[in-house]
Amino acid sequence: MMLAMCASVYAQKSFNDEQLRLRGNIERFLRDEGYMPEIDSDGDIKFKREGTSYYVIIDARDTSPMYLSLSAYFSYGEKYNRSVLSANLADFNLKKGVKLVLFDDSYCLQAQMYLVNADSFNYVFYKLLKQLDALDEDIDDVCLSSGSGSSYSSGSNYSSSGS
C-alpha cells in the first residue's frame, strides 16, 4: 500500500529535544484552542475537527529548520473517485498553498512547512485549515460535477495517518 510506504518515511521516529519541544508546544496550542490532541503510536499529533482526523507530522530527519505537515487522510469511495482526482491533480495542486496527494487506496490533503518553533505553526494554523477546506470544496465541486463523488462533503476519513 502506497500510504504505508510513504508513511514509513515518518515511522521509527527519534526526535531530538528541539523537535520534542516543538511537538509539545503544538500539542499545547491545540489543546488551548479547544481540540483534544493526542500523540499516536508513531509520535504524530492527532486531533479531530468537525468529524475529520488531522495529523501534525514532524519529520525527525529535519532538525534546523524542522519540517512539519498538517494532513488529513481519506479512503477512496468515501467521497471521491480516484480517476477523477488523478485527472485533476495538477489543477488542484496549482491553485492552493496546500496539496492533494494520491495513494493506491487513499488520498491525503496536506499542508507543509519548515519552521524553527511552534509560533510559526500557531500563526498559520487557521489559515492552513482554511486552505485545506478550500481544496476539499474544490475537489467536491469537480467530483460532484463529474458524477463521481458522493452527496456528502466531509466527515468520514481514513482512520490512520499510516505513519
Side-chain angles (χ1 to χ4, degrees):
M1 167 158 92
M2 182 62 163
L3 179 59
M5 289 173 26
C6 179
S8 69
V9 169
Y10 298 110
Q12 312 286 323
K13 293 180 187 172
S14 178
F15 291 127
N16 66 26
D17 289 342
E18 195 172 348
Q19 291 165 325
L20 288 172
R21 190 171 20 264
L22 172 69
R23 185 179 71 178
N25 288 339
I26 291 172
E27 185 180 13
R28 193 171 307 106
F29 166 77
L30 291 170
R31 188 170 290 109
D32 290 347
E33 292 297 304
Y35 299 99
M36 296 174 47
E38 60 187 55
I39 304 298
D40 71 9
S41 62
D42 301 323
D44 304 323
I45 302 170
K46 177 183 176 184
F47 67 95
K48 286 197 174 200
R49 175 180 163 259
E50 299 176 4
T52 297
S53 294
Y54 290 85
Y55 299 85
V56 178
I57 303 168
I58 300 169
D59 190 331
R61 297 172 298 176
D62 291 309
T63 57
S64 185
M66 294 171 275
Y67 179 78
L68 172 146
S69 67
L70 174 61
S71 306
Y73 295 83
F74 301 88
S75 296
Y76 295 117
E78 290 181 35
K79 292 174 65 173
Y80 308 122
N81 177 297
R82 185 184 197 288
S83 62
V84 173
L85 290 180
S86 182
N88 292 282
L89 185 62
D91 288 337
F92 292 139
N93 287 342
L94 178 67
K95 297 176 185 174
K96 304 288 180 219
V98 295
K99 300 296 177 206
L100 168 65
V101 180
L102 303 180
F103 304 108
D104 288 340
D105 58 358
S106 61
Y107 63 97
C108 172
L109 304 181
Q110 188 173 77
Q112 305 164 338
M113 64 186 298
Y114 280 96
L115 66 168
V116 294
N117 60 46
D119 292 340
S120 299
F121 176 83
N122 300 354
Y123 178 74
V124 300
F125 175 69
Y126 286 105
K127 295 172 185 167
L128 293 177
L129 285 177
K130 283 178 84 171
Q131 287 294 304
L132 289 170
D133 289 345
L135 176 59
D136 193 36
E137 289 174 17
D138 287 353
I139 293 168
D140 271 346
D141 292 345
V142 168
C143 288
L144 291 174
S145 69
S146 73
S148 66
S150 68
S151 60
Y152 65 94
S153 100
S154 70
S156 169
N157 73 330
Y158 196 72
S159 62
S160 170
S161 68
S163 49

